[in-house]
Each structure stands twice: as structure tokens, then as C-alpha cells.
């Protein structure tokens, strides 16, 4: 499903989107589909599936550890696409990974395989806009959205450039730092959201881990929230994983209504 | 501004790091020609670092191998390695930029030590990230850093070596961009770091030019330097790039030139790596078929890195610099030989460069006058060597 289609659906229902991140292959390739199913069943609107990279510099300890577990358990680019092809969920799927894995695979080839597997968008945290010209062209041809990140310290000039080159949604990083659960979300997010001059939906991520955060972000003007580490921590606990994932997802989604 | 060397280089970093990289580039372009900045830096280089360093004619070694061998004595720089040339420059730049805090990564501990020195001297809060494996094998350097007031953070993630220390330092920088300067220790990372570090290290090559003209009346036939990230190599090569001098970058051949899906049993990224993106730059990288970065291996912690500076990758591609490698065992032999023949105990990193010269002296490819960059002294390696020889 296209990302834009999902946002239109939600607009009609007057809801915001819950984007759920998990690392593909954590704890193993066989379990990921049942995790994705549980998240979608409990209300996740878009699934962001991490393709694990050995050196994830934009991620905090929780997602680093998930990445390690997944690589150890044998997740790789081939298996990632195979697994995604086998998923039976009707929500947009977004691939989150680091640029070397794409570059190594051949950007054109990688994007084609994303399209074949049913992936709708790409998030590459170590590929800033000015290095992405080639990939943007390839993605356009294949109908894959390029989701760029903006941060609290991004200049107005770059905000405009990034907005104009993004598709799908704009990933708004809530804080200076890496991914990971936080106690409080910066009060400046509203200001950042206001500054982004775009018709695209704005999704806030980094440090969002409970319903209170979600409600704050929705109040601040977010069209979507991205939750990762809070879910990954449940997977890492190996304790009653599926029921607990469903429970937190339902609660987070309530915050989007 | 062009951020590339041929196809290598660039800025592959999270968006949060774009403003500080831009700020750094502008500040560097502004201050590098500023009389106040250059006069302070030159004063520190002379009176704190102890420059210029001698170009020493290794007479006994020359006699044994039948060619003229000169050693550029960077081992005599305060702290015991060339690393201080760069940390003085960058810390002073950070001071001019109004930064309050320095962070750095270190492998062998030499760059961490050189950062701790300037942190103490120039009054920064200083934090050094070091893989926990390296913390164990370089304990004296860890203690040296602590003595100078630096906090050493042992990194437990990934392969627990320098690659992971850089990851952790980048994460710190992303979190503390406002008041912190990331003092990268080699010619690696996103632009402008490869250029800044190369420029600050070029003092080595500029001195060699003058010194060798004085004693030989001409440039050497060859210059040989070890290369991990490549800072001492770029530093001595750069002023000679325009001429005819043969430039050899000696990488760590480790145990053998072999890789599996997770580990390279060497660190020869110039000689055997493939194009990829690591730590913010497109360069030659040791990686598996999927693009996962391999754990590298070397007896010399300072060469133990899966990537290499993008400018060096470009120079190797055009053929201006010749990449080559030396195994752990060959480096160890050279370590002993220089100690016995000249009374100079070289760092295990620099021992790779020495080993290449002794190995190739007969072949003719080096010509008859060679300068080796003796990038550091070997005191830090004594424990490693004693353990190996037990």
C-alpha cells in the first residue's frame, strides 16, 4: 500500500498515524512476521522494518542491540526481501537501513527489489539530502518514497530543500541525539513542526515511547508518530512478547485518535 | 565546495551533523590563514610538541641494506607519536570556535593521549571513546589519559575496537553538537575532517622537504609510511604529491590476507577493500558481500581499522600512492631489528613501514634513498610484544 493512500484514509477518519519500527530478524527471521502481524492487528498504520547494519550510528543502545541479535541470527539482504515478500499485511511497509547496504547491493537493484517486495518507502539516516540525488531519481522511477529526516538544528534553508525533495512523509527527529526511549519529549517540537513548509505528513520520532508522548506530539501538530525502542525492548525481554506488543500498540494508537 | 576526492569522500552523516560540519568547514577556512591562529599553533608546535623533528640518517641499517635510509622522527613528538600535530591544530580551532568540550576515538590510545594532552593544556572537558578490547591491550595509555584529566569510556558494542569507538563518538556528537568538537584522529570521516587532519599533519612532509634538500641536495626516491586511517601517510606524502617521489602506503597484513563473513584477518583496506560508505565517507572498506563492515585484525592497534581515508583511497586508485602490506610477523622482526641496529624502539605501526623497506631494499623499486615516517615510539607496545613472545 502507498504511504499517501494510508494518510488519506486516516485523514477521513480524523486519526493520526502510528508508525511502528522493529528490526527485521530480531530475534530471528521466522518470528518477525508474527510480530508484524501483531503490530498491525493492534493498530499500527505503517510498519518500519529495519534492515540491520553492523554500524548503526544513528541508533541508541536498544536498537543497536536488536541489530546485533538480528545479524547474529542470520538476517541479511536476501532474507530481508524474501521475508517481506511473505508478509500478509495490508499496510505500507517502509525499509529503514544505512546507506552502505544499499550502495553495496547497487542502488538501482536495491530499489527495484524493494518495489518487487512491496516496500513503499526508504529511510536512510546516514544519507543526507545533498548525497541522495542518484537515489532520489531511482526511487522516482520505481515509485518508492524517499523519507528524509529533519532535526531541531536543521537550518530553514535545508528544511525547505528537504521538504521539496521528500515524499511519503517527513521524518521529524524530536531531539538532538540517537534513537531510544526518553522520559520527556522536547517542548520545541511544535516550533519545528511549524517551520516545515510542506503538504507532506510530518512524523515525529526518536524518544517516543508511551501514550502521553503520543498525545503531546499530536497536540503539537504531528501527523504521525514513530515508535521503535519501546517495542524493541519488549521483543528483547522475550517475556510474553506478542500480547505485550499488542497491548502497547493499542494504547499508542489510542493516543493517535 | 567540493567534498570529494574523485569518487571518494563526501558527508554520509545524520542530518543533525550537517550544521556542525558546515560550521567546522567555515571556521577552518577562516582561521587557517588567520595570523593569530597560525602564530599560536606554530608556537605550540615548536615549544609544546617539540618540532621540528629530526630527519635521522639510519647509518647502520643503511649499511646492512645497501640503500640510504632516513627516519623522520615523529616518535620524538611530545606524547610519542605524530598524533599531537593534529590534536593541537583541531583543539586550537575548537577554542577559536568557542567549543567547551572535546571528544575523540582512539585505537592504540595514541590519539586519545594526544587529545588528553591538548584537552588539559587548552582547558577542555575531554572524553575519549575506546573499544574495550583496546582498553585491555593499551592500559598504559588509558592511565596516561586519566592522569591528564580525560574521561575514558570503554566501548562494549560491536567488535569493541576503534570502529565501534568512532560509532560511539559520533553518537555523542549527535547528542551534544552545540558545545562539543569531535576531534577525529585520522584522515577519515565526513568532509572536512579528511582535509583538516591532512593539513595539520602536512607539517611532517614540509619539514622533510627542507631537511632532505639540506643533506642530499635532492628529494628522496621513495617515501614509505604505514597506513591505518592514513594520517601519518597523508601528512608526509601531501607536500610531495606534485613531484616524482615514489610514495608507499604500508598496511597491516595481519595474520594473512583472508576474510570470512565477519572477520578480516588483516586491515589492508586500500589493497583489498571495496568501495563503500563507512563513518561518513565513501572510501575503500573491508566489508562482506552484503556490505556489513568486517572486524579488522592487526598486531598494531593503530592500524586496526576497516576503512581508510578517502583521499588516500583516491591516490591509490590513480596510482600516485602504491598500497602494500606487511604481516604481523614481519612487523615484529622489523621492530627488533631497528631496536638493535639503531637503538630506536619503533611503534608496531611504524614497524610495518620499516619492514617494507628492509624487505624491498634489494628489489630496486625503492631507489637508493628512502625516507621512512617513523610515526611513533614503541614503549606502548612492550606489553603486547612480551605477551606474544612468551
Amino acid at each position: 500500500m502507498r504511504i499517501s493512500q494510508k494518510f488519506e484514509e486516516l485523514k477521513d477518519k480524523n486519526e493520526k498515524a502510528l508508525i511502528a519500527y522493529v528490526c527485521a530478524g530480531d530475534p530471528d527471521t521466522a518470528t518477525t512476521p508474527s510480530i508484524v502481524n501483531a503490530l498491525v492487528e493492534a493498530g499500527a498504520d505503517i510498519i518500519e522494518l529495519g534492515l540491520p547494519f553492523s554500524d548503526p550510528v544513528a541508533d541508541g543502545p536498544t536498537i543497536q542491540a536488536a541489530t546485533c541479535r538480528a545479524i547474529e541470527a542470520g538476517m541479511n539482504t536476501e532474507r530481508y526481501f524474501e521475508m517481506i515478500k511473505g508478509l500478509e499485511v495490508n499496510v505500507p511497509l517502509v525499509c529503514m537501513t544505512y546507506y552502505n547496504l544499499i550502495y553495496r547491493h547497487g542502488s538501482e537493484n536495491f530499489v527495484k527489489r524493494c518495489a518487487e517486495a512491496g516496500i513503499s518507502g526508504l529511510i536512510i539516516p546516514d544519507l543526507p539530502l545533498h548525497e541522495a540525488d542518484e537515489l532520489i531519481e531511482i526511487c522516482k522511477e520505481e515509485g518508492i518514497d524517499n523519507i528524509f529526516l529533519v532535526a531541531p538544528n536543521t537550518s530553514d534553508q535545508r528544511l525547505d530543500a528537504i521538504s521539496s525533495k521528500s515524499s511519503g512523509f517527513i521524518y521529524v527527529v524530536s531531539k538532538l541525539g540517537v534513537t531510544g526511549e526518553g522520559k520527556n519529549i522536547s517542548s520545541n517540537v511544535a516550533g519545528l513542526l511549524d517551520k516545515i513548509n510542506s503538504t507532506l505528513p510530518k512524523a515525529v520520532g526518536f524518544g517516543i515511547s508511551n501514550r502521553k508522548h503520543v498525545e503531546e506530539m499530536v497536540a503539537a501538530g504531528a501527523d504521525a508518530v514513530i515508535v521503535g525502542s519501546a517495542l524493541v525492548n519488549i521483543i528483547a525481554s522475550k517475556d510474553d512478547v506478542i500480547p505485550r506488543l499488542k497491548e502497547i500498540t493499542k494504547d499508542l494508537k489510542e493516543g493517535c485518535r | 565546495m567540493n567534498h570529494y576526492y574523485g569518487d571518494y569522500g563526501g558527508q554520509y552523516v545524520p542530518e543533525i551533523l550537517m550544521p556542525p560540519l558546515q560550521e567546522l568547514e567555515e571556521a577552518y577556512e577562516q582561521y587557517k590563514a588567520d595570523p593569530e591562529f597560525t602564530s599560536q599553533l606554530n608556537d605550540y608546535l615548536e615549544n609544546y610538541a617539540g618540532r621540528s623533528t629530526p630527519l635521522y640518517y639510519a647509518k647502520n641499517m643503511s649499511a646492512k641494506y645497501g640503500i640510504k635510509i632516513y627516519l623522520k622522527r615523529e616518535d620524538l613528538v611530545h606524547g610519542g607519536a605524530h598524533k599531537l600535530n593534529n590534536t593541537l591544530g583541531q583543539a586550537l580551532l575548537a577554542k577559536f570556535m568557542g567549543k567547551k568540550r572535546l571528544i575523540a576515538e582512539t585505537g592504540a590510545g595514541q590519539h586519545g593521549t594526544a587529545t588528553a594532552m591538548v584537552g588539559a593544556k587548552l582547558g577542555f572537558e575531554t572524553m575519549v571513546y575506546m573499544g574495550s578490547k583496546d582498553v585491555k591491550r593499551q592500559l598504559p595509555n588509558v592511565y596516561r589519559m586519566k592522569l591528564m584529566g580525560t574521561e575514558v569510556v570503554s566501548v562494549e558494542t560491536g567488535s569493541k575496537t576503534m570502529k565501534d569507538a568512532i560509532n560511539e563518538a559520533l553518537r555523542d556528537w549527535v547528542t551534544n553538537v552545540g558545545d562539543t568538537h569531535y576531534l577525529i584522529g585520522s584522515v577519515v570521516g565526513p568532509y572536512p575532517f579528511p582535509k583538516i587532519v591532512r593539513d595539520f599533519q602536512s607539517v611532517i612532509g614540509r619539514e622533510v622537504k627542507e631537511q632532505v634538500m639540506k643533506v642530499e641536495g635532492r628529494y628522496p626516491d621513495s617515501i614509505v609510511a604505514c597506513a591505518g586511517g592514513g594520517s601519518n601517510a597523508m601528512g608526509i606524502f601531501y607536500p610531495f604529491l606534485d613531484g616524482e617521489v615514489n610514495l608507499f602506503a604500508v598496511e597491516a597484513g595481519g595474520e594473512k590476507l583472508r576474510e570470512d563473513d565477519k572477520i578480516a584477518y588483516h586491515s589492508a583496506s586500500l589493497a583489498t577493500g571495496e568501495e563503500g560508505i563507512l563513518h561518513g565517507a565513501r572510501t575503500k572498506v573491508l566489508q562482506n558481500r552484503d556490505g556489513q563492515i568486517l572486524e579488522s585484525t592487526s598486531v598494531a592497534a593503530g592500524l586496526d581499522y576497516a576503512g581508510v581515508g578517502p583521499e588516500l583511497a583516491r591516490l591509490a586508485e590513480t596510482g600516485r600512492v602504491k598500497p602494500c602490506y606487511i604481516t604481523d610477523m614481519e612487523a615484529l622482526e622489523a621492530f627488533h631489528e631497528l631496536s638493535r641496529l639503531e637503538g630506536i624502539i619503533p611503534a608496531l605501526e611504524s614497524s610495518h613501514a620499516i619492514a617494507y623497506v628492509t624487505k624491498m631494499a634489494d628489489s630496486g623499486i625503492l631507489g637508493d634513498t628512502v625516507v621512512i615516517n617513523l610515526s611513533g615510539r614503541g614503549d606502548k607496545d612492550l606489553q603486547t610484544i612480551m605477551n606474544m613472545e612468551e
Side-chain angles (χ1 to χ4, degrees), chain A residues 51-60 64 68 71-72 75-78 99-105 125-131 134 149-155 158 162 173 175-178 206, chain B residues 3-4 7 9-20 22 157-158 163-164 166-168 170-172 174-178 262 274-279 282 285 287-294:
Chain A
L51 167 59
F53 177 53
S54 53
D55 295 76
V57 293
D59 286 304
Q64 282 173 53
C68 267
I71 292 174
E72 277 301 311
M75 180 46 71
N76 60 31
T77 310
E78 282 306 313
Y99 190 46
N100 196 47
L101 297 191
I102 298 172
Y103 186 79
R104 180 75 169 155
H105 201 83
D126 64 341
L127 187 71
L129 184 72
H130 60 292
E131 303 287 3
E134 187 199 355
L149 293 83
V150 300
N153 61 346
T154 305
S155 68
R158 281 186 74 87
I162 292 169
V173 175
K175 59 173 181 181
L176 299 177
V178 292
F206 282 41
Chain B
H3 297 161
Y4 278 85
D7 284 339
Q11 297 175 309
Y12 296 86
V13 294
E15 185 59 35
I16 295 174
L17 292 184
M18 288 316 301
Q22 211 165 351
T157 53
K163 156 173 102 64
D164 309 282
I166 296 179
N167 293 342
E168 217 45 59
L170 283 167
R171 290 179 188 120
D172 181 319
V174 164
T175 312
N176 302 294
V177 278
K262 293 221 164 80
E274 292 181 63
E275 215 175 288
I277 284 95
L278 178 62
H279 296 141
R282 189 190 293 189
V285 179
Q287 53 185 324
N288 73 10
R289 207 186 52 174
D290 283 323
Q292 306 290 356
I293 309 304
L294 299 179

Side-chain angles (χ1 to χ4, degrees), chain B residues 172-183:
Chain B
D172 181 319
W173 203 27
V174 164
T175 312
N176 302 294
V177 278
D179 67 345
T180 298
H181 175 68
Y182 178 14
L183 208 169

Side-chain angles (χ1 to χ4, degrees), chain B residues 297-313:
Chain B
T297 311
S298 171
V299 66
L303 301 182
D304 194 349
Y305 181 54
V308 64
E311 188 173 18
L312 204 51

Side-chain angles (χ1 to χ4, degrees), chain B residues 208-373:
Chain B
V208 169
K209 260 190 163 174
E210 275 186 26
Q211 291 166 323
V212 77
M213 280 307 279
K214 218 181 235 173
V215 289
E216 289 289 328
R218 66 173 180 99
Y219 290 154
D221 297 313
S222 300
I223 297 175
V224 180
C226 65
S231 72
N232 90 80
M234 280 311 303
I236 196 166
F237 293 165
Y238 188 66
F240 287 95
L241 286 182
D242 280 343
E244 303 286 307
V245 180
N246 293 309
L247 307 172
F248 295 89
V250 188
E251 296 189 289
E255 293 168 34
K256 50 191 169 247
L257 278 202
R258 193 174 73 77
E259 301 94 36
D260 60 31
D261 215 33
K262 293 221 164 80
I263 299 172
Y265 296 91
H266 60 86
S267 307
S269 33
L270 270 184
T272 73
E274 292 181 63
E275 215 175 288
I277 284 95
L278 178 62
H279 296 141
R282 189 190 293 189
T283 185
K284 285 285 178 70
V285 179
L286 299 175
Q287 53 185 324
N288 73 10
R289 207 186 52 174
D290 283 323
Q292 306 290 356
I293 309 304
L294 299 179
E295 228 174 273
S296 54
T297 311
S298 171
V299 66
L303 301 182
D304 194 349
Y305 181 54
V308 64
E311 188 173 18
L312 204 51
R314 170 64 179 169
L315 291 168
E317 184 186 59
T318 62
R320 182 65 191 92
V321 168
K322 292 174 188 67
C324 44
Y325 64 90
I326 279 295
T327 65
D328 287 350
M329 283 305 144
E330 290 169 328
L332 207 58
E333 274 173 40
F335 171 89
H336 283 294
E337 182 159 54
L338 190 71
S339 302
R340 280 196 309 267
L341 282 178
E342 300 287 346
I344 296 171
I345 302 174
L348 275 174
E349 290 78 14
S350 324
S351 299
H352 285 71
I354 298 157
Y356 187 71
V357 170
T358 57
K359 186 178 175 177
M360 303 310 283
D362 273 349
S363 73
I365 64 166
L366 299 173
D368 55 23
T369 306
V370 180
V371 174
I372 301 174
N373 197 3

